[in-house]
Amino acid sequence: MTVKQYKNKYKVPLTKKDSLSFRVIHGDTMVQVSDFMRPKGNSVPYEYKDSTFLKYYEKVAFNHKKGVISDNTVMKYWKDDVKIFFSKSVAKKTKNDLMKFAEEISSQVDSLNIYEVNKVEDSNYIIYYFGDYEYESNLMNFKRSSNYQYWNGNNQIYKSAIKLDNEMYFNETLRLYELKKYFIQNLGYFNLIDDFKCESYFSNCYSSNKKLTPLDLELIKYHYSYGICKGTNLKTFQEQHQKAKETLEETGNKTMFFHPL
């Protein structure tokens, strides 16, 4: 960490021995932190991505209010397991097909675990239809299908709900399509964009042939990769990438990102 960060965090004075390990990176003097001072957690090497991929990711992951780009917009993600409860109105086949879709994603994405629970009190993700018990009060007065999410001060999502208009979507094919669309968006606070073909789940256009494209999956995998800091705003995200890329080019070494437990 920087010398300034060290002095703010620790009361142990720096010694001449400490100064032997000083390194200067981008004008900041860095000091090596002793193991006994370091909090529990994991250090993960920077995950390089090219500018084209990052352009798409920033549009998807940083959901700007009313489409107005802001450096203060933050990414949001699930830290805990996603535990889904379905109301009794959801047909068994629709429920099974959605869970297969969810498991297809979670099996390929590190640190994202998704499974079904049988009791609503054990869940943090509820899927229900119009006419069911109102599981989510913030959706009570909505006249059409919608979803609602909660997150904490670290931008970690901890609760989500989907309420589907089962009369507008009058057959199981249409219902499954809508549930998959909302489900993908709720894996972050994701935004649909115009840059992709309609078959992509991140595309902002209708298609009856939506599928999980390789780029869709890569965007989700990257969102849950710890090769960059999580829950940051757009400005911090871009600055971290810039510094990590410069370090990689100048030294050949990857910056390590520490994530406390």
Side-chain angles (χ1 to χ4, degrees):
M1 63 173 59
T2 66
V3 170
K4 182 178 179 180
Q5 290 171 331
Y6 179 95
K7 290 180 177 179
N8 288 335
K9 186 173 182 65
Y10 302 112
K11 302 303 179 184
V12 182
L14 291 169
T15 65
K16 184 176 181 180
K17 182 180 178 181
D18 293 320
S19 68
L20 297 176
S21 65
F22 282 179
R23 291 178 61 191
V24 177
I25 300 177
H26 306 305
D28 292 325
T29 301
M30 313 295 287
V31 60
Q32 184 173 335
V33 181
S34 301
D35 287 339
F36 78 90
M37 295 179 178
R38 187 176 294 119
K40 292 182 179 180
N42 297 305
S43 291
V44 180
Y46 167 65
E47 182 174 348
Y48 174 85
K49 290 293 183 182
D50 65 38
S51 58
T52 300
F53 178 88
L54 291 177
K55 178 190 72 173
Y56 293 143
Y57 177 74
E58 288 172 6
K59 286 185 177 182
V60 166
F62 295 88
N63 197 332
H64 302 279
K65 293 182 179 179
K66 298 181 180 179
V68 178
I69 304 297
S70 169
D71 286 344
N72 294 321
T73 305
V74 296
M75 67 168 83
K76 300 175 178 69
Y77 68 107
W78 289 87
K79 176 70 172 178
D80 297 327
D81 292 356
V82 181
K83 296 168 284 189
I84 304 177
F85 172 82
F86 294 89
S87 73
K88 291 182 179 180
S89 297
V90 182
K92 184 176 180 180
K93 185 178 187 308
T94 299
K95 178 173 65 175
N96 290 343
D97 286 347
L98 184 63
M99 287 311 303
K100 285 179 183 178
F101 181 67
E103 289 160 7
E104 177 189 357
I105 295 170
S106 64
S107 67
Q108 300 180 69
V109 178
D110 291 339
S111 69
L112 179 61
N113 300 310
I114 307 170
Y115 50 87
E116 182 186 356
V117 295
N118 295 320
K119 296 180 179 180
V120 66
E121 58 266 27
D122 295 332
S123 72
N124 55 14
Y125 198 128
I126 299 173
I127 296 174
Y128 66 108
Y129 291 164
F130 279 36
D132 289 341
Y133 176 79
E134 287 289 356
Y135 291 99
E136 175 49 61
S137 59
N138 286 294
L139 295 176
M140 187 178 298
N141 297 318
F142 277 61
K143 302 300 182 184
R144 40 183 201 173
S145 301
S146 194
N147 66 299
Y148 201 87
Q149 289 182 287
Y150 297 82
W151 49 83
N152 61 25
N154 294 319
N155 297 308
Q156 296 165 345
I157 302 168
Y158 63 87
K159 185 179 177 183
S160 189
I162 299 173
K163 180 181 179 181
L164 191 74
D165 184 344
N166 51 325
E167 291 189 4
M168 175 176 286
Y169 303 101
F170 54 86
N171 63 42
E172 297 306 322
T173 299
L174 293 174
R175 291 168 187 168
L176 181 61
Y177 172 90
E178 285 299 302
L179 290 176
K180 284 183 175 180
K181 183 187 75 173
Y182 281 120
F183 180 77
I184 287 288
Q185 289 179 264
N186 288 354
L187 289 178
Y189 186 55
F190 289 143
N191 186 41
L192 304 183
I193 62 177
D194 298 325
D195 301 60
F196 302 147
K197 293 181 179 179
C198 287
E199 64 182 12
S200 165
Y201 276 103
F202 287 113
S203 174
N204 191 27
C205 65
Y206 174 81
S207 170
S208 59
N209 296 310
K210 291 281 187 184
K211 62 181 181 181
L212 195 66
T213 69
L215 183 53
D216 288 348
L217 186 58
E218 192 61 28
L219 288 165
I220 299 169
K221 289 171 70 174
Y222 182 70
H223 193 70
Y224 284 91
S225 161
Y226 279 75
I228 197 71
C229 284
K230 314 302 294 177
T232 63
N233 62 26
L234 178 59
K235 181 179 180 181
T236 300
F237 177 82
Q238 292 175 334
E239 288 176 347
Q240 287 179 341
H241 267 286
Q242 183 64 31
K243 289 184 177 180
K245 285 183 177 181
E246 289 174 1
T247 299
L248 184 61
E249 292 171 358
E250 292 172 7
T251 68
N253 297 321
K254 288 188 175 181
T255 300
M256 301 297 290
F257 288 94
F258 180 78
H259 302 275
L261 294 177

